[in-house]
Amino acid sequence: WGREGVHQIFREWRGVLAEFGDDRVLCAEAWVEPLANMAKWVRPDEMHQAFNFPFLRAPWEAGALRRVIDESLAAFGSVGAPSTWVLSNHDVVRHATRLSMPVLPHGDGVGPASPDLPTDREAALRRARAATTLMLALPGSAYLYQGEELGLPEVIDLPDDARQDPTWFRTSGERYGRDGCRVPLPWTPEGASQGFSATGESWLPTPPGWAGYARSDQSGVAGSTLEMYKALLAARRTHELAHADLQWLAGWPESVLALTMGDITVLANTGQEAVVLPSYEEIIVSSDPLLSTGATVIPPDTTLWLTGAA
């Protein structure tokens, strides 16, 4: 729980890694807040990076996101470490579900009796895609959790007898736990485990209705979440966004995060109303697959990367 004594252990680990050259990295899974305290984990002689859980816990709201981005860059930068960014992992409700809930759930999971579950899966995915498009524009290192590149939502309706998380058993079913984000990936639209295994067996059952998320059905399909992730990662590398300086832009509505990263302008509309686009040369990538280069507005829950924006 953030005890000072752990840091000497990390220094010893760092010394062991140094014996093998410079191609190994230590990343801390440290649920430590505030970020100024987490920065202790990534001092030059300790871990190389730490998962940015305050960013993960932030709601899809422009003001909250800007505050945690600024805090992250300041805290990690104060010790010479790159900031990190993450939206989903094996312990939290997948962000394709979580970000569309008014109260963000975390380690307790969600299930059929949970309040305020998203009812519009497409709208929830649109918000998740927008959040990812913002995250992958930020400087430093981004971590992706298996399945988010397919747009997987949290599995809400796992059968009780299939659940395995100790949280479920320790609380006699009062807390669902984390199984909903740990269901195997759908590789193909058919089969008992949707291509996970030749026998159809898996540690958690594949839910009905996941055929459309299958990797085979998204690969090469324009506008799919998988192809969006590929485009984002390619553009992030081409424009060297991991090493770029972030500059906030003024003059935008409170619901919009507007920033520049090198030669890229990033606009994220977290509000409920469309926002007029400035003039631009090219849309590099858009989280909304329906947005064309002739568009004049940024729809709600949409993030764009532009060049030549006025």
Side-chain angles (χ1 to χ4, degrees):
W1 302 160
R3 297 172 67 115
E4 287 297 322
V6 302
H7 294 288
Q8 181 55 38
I9 298 172
F10 298 152
R11 293 185 182 101
E12 294 171 4
W13 291 0
R14 184 66 174 261
V16 172
L17 257 67
E19 298 174 8
F20 294 88
D22 59 2
D23 63 344
R24 289 164 172 78
V25 175
L26 286 170
C27 183
E29 186 179 11
W31 287 87
V32 179
E33 296 189 45
L35 279 159
N37 194 24
M38 187 188 293
K40 295 178 181 179
W41 269 249
V42 290
R43 289 176 289 197
D45 58 348
E46 297 191 40
M47 301 283 190
H48 296 84
Q49 298 188 353
F51 292 130
N52 190 339
F53 293 124
F55 179 78
L56 181 150
R57 295 166 68 96
W60 178 242
E61 191 272 315
L65 287 165
R66 178 166 178 168
R67 286 190 294 273
V68 74
I69 291 169
D70 282 341
E71 185 183 358
S72 301
L73 295 174
F76 289 118
S78 70
V79 295
S83 186
T84 65
W85 316 101
V86 62
L87 285 168
S88 285
N89 72 15
H90 64 282
D91 284 329
V92 300
V93 174
R94 286 185 178 275
H95 70 280
T97 296
R98 186 184 75 248
L99 291 179
S100 291
M101 299 181 68
V103 178
L104 302 185
H106 294 289
D108 286 350
V110 293
S114 298
D116 301 318
L117 293 170
T119 55
D120 188 336
R121 185 175 284 186
E122 291 185 4
L125 177 57
R126 184 165 59 248
R127 178 170 293 184
R129 288 166 56 111
T132 293
T133 305
L134 170 64
M135 181 185 79
L136 288 178
L138 299 176
S141 294
Y143 285 83
L144 306 179
Y145 177 54
Q146 58 91 4
E148 67 173 89
E149 76 281 5
L150 302 178
L152 296 185
E154 187 81 355
V155 180
I156 306 297
D157 53 354
L158 279 170
D160 289 352
D161 60 2
R163 295 186 181 276
Q164 299 182 31
D165 193 328
T167 296
W168 170 259
F169 299 101
R170 290 171 182 162
T171 64
S172 300
E174 292 183 7
R175 293 164 55 190
Y176 287 104
R178 300 157 294 181
D179 291 319
C181 65
R182 299 176 174 183
V183 174
L185 302 186
W187 292 89
T188 59
E190 61 281 323
S193 64
Q194 292 191 230
F196 175 73
S197 71
T199 64
E201 296 180 356
S202 65
W203 67 88
L204 288 166
T206 302
W210 262 26
Y213 295 110
R215 184 192 183 281
S216 63
D217 279 15
Q218 294 196 45
S219 182
V221 177
S224 72
T225 302
L226 177 61
E227 293 303 320
M228 184 196 78
Y229 269 73
K230 291 180 180 179
L232 286 168
L233 292 171
R236 177 177 173 85
R237 179 182 291 270
T238 298
H239 294 272
E240 299 183 338
L241 299 187
H243 306 288
D245 291 326
L246 185 156
Q247 300 291 330
W248 296 109
L249 300 175
W252 287 85
E254 292 184 356
S255 63
V256 175
L257 278 170
L259 57 136
T260 59
M261 292 288 299
D263 62 339
I264 297 292
T265 297
V266 180
L267 303 172
N269 184 4
T270 70
Q272 299 180 4
E273 302 293 334
V275 176
V276 176
L277 262 174
S279 60
Y280 60 89
E281 292 179 358
E282 181 184 5
I283 294 179
I284 300 299
V285 67
S286 169
S287 65
D288 184 343
L290 301 181
L291 190 65
S292 70
T293 54
T296 58
V297 298
I298 312 171
D301 295 334
T302 301
T303 302
L304 308 176
W305 296 3
L306 309 172
T307 59

